[in-house]
Amino acid sequence: MRTSTAPAPVRVLVVEDDDTIGRHLETGLRGNGYAPTWSRTGGSALAEASHTAYDVLLLDLGLPDMDGLDVARVLRARFPEQLIVVLTARTDDIDIIAGLDAGADDYLVKPFSMTVLLARLRAHLRRRTISPPVQEPIRLGGLLLDVPARRCTVHDVEVGLRPKEFELLAVLAQHVGEAVSRETLMATVWDENWFGSTKTLDVTMAGLRRRLAEASATASPAPVLPLITTLRGHGYRLEPPPQP
Ligand code: CA
């Protein structure tokens, strides 16, 4: 049941010692309506969890001070209701079984995409009756973006965006009027382990702009659409459309 007050954001404790992965998880979660806190060690995670109740624990197994499975065991014993998702590079079945025995609810093997992680979290949280972040459709001039339904329309006509084009537009639309860095876009739309070329971002951006231009050219009356500004050396900004 929805009320007029927004639900409290889902609190996520990210336990990850890798700087790049931790930062991308934090950015991606915050950009999608979650409230993340990042701990780099098992010890600091246990201390953090002792004074704040978290809805979700995202747990790397290879931590510098202790085995992530021990962190899972301790927190599962203390908080039986907490959702625990283990993030690991270990792919052996025996490790997966050990993780589930230690109290993990789910398992993601690195590298995984932010999109997959978010989908799994939504599914788990729904089952637990914790409300996942609500995303209202975003209206920007003649453009309507319904993120949960994955629908983009211009004057009620659906724009046939490719999956990554849609996700790129969704991230920019959720930060309309703000600069979004290439790194944030890569981490959120692609993968937190994307190290290397960001050419795929340029190709996807070109496709997105082309499809929006085509939709704009065929719609009648001519719609006012938000423009995507390129910020040289940084990233992109979706401009709020002028008020009619
Ligand atoms: Ca690690």
Side-chain angles (χ1 to χ4, degrees), residues 16-18 60 62-63 110:
E16 171 62 76
D17 60 312
D18 184 288
D60 176 37
L63 296 170
K110 297 173 185 174

Side-chain angles (χ1 to χ4, degrees), residues 7-10 29 32-35 118 122 125 130-136 148:
V10 178
L29 287 166
N32 284 279
Y34 291 84
L118 291 169
R122 278 197 301 272
L125 293 173
I130 297 171
S131 306
V134 174
Q135 290 178 295
E136 304 288 347

Side-chain angles (χ1 to χ4, degrees), residues 77-127:
R78 262 194 237 159
F79 307 104
E81 294 304 308
Q82 186 174 53
L83 170 64
I84 300 180
V85 178
V86 159
L87 311 171
T88 184
R90 302 179 195 176
T91 53
D92 298 346
D93 284 350
I94 190 74
D95 282 327
I96 294 175
I97 292 163
L100 297 175
D101 281 350
D105 297 279
D106 201 357
Y107 219 93
L108 281 177
V109 176
K110 297 173 185 174
F112 53 84
S113 75
M114 199 68 208
T115 313
V116 169
L117 170 63
L118 291 169
R120 298 275 272 275
L121 285 182
R122 278 197 301 272
H124 282 292
L125 293 173
R126 240 180 258 120
R127 241 173 270 143

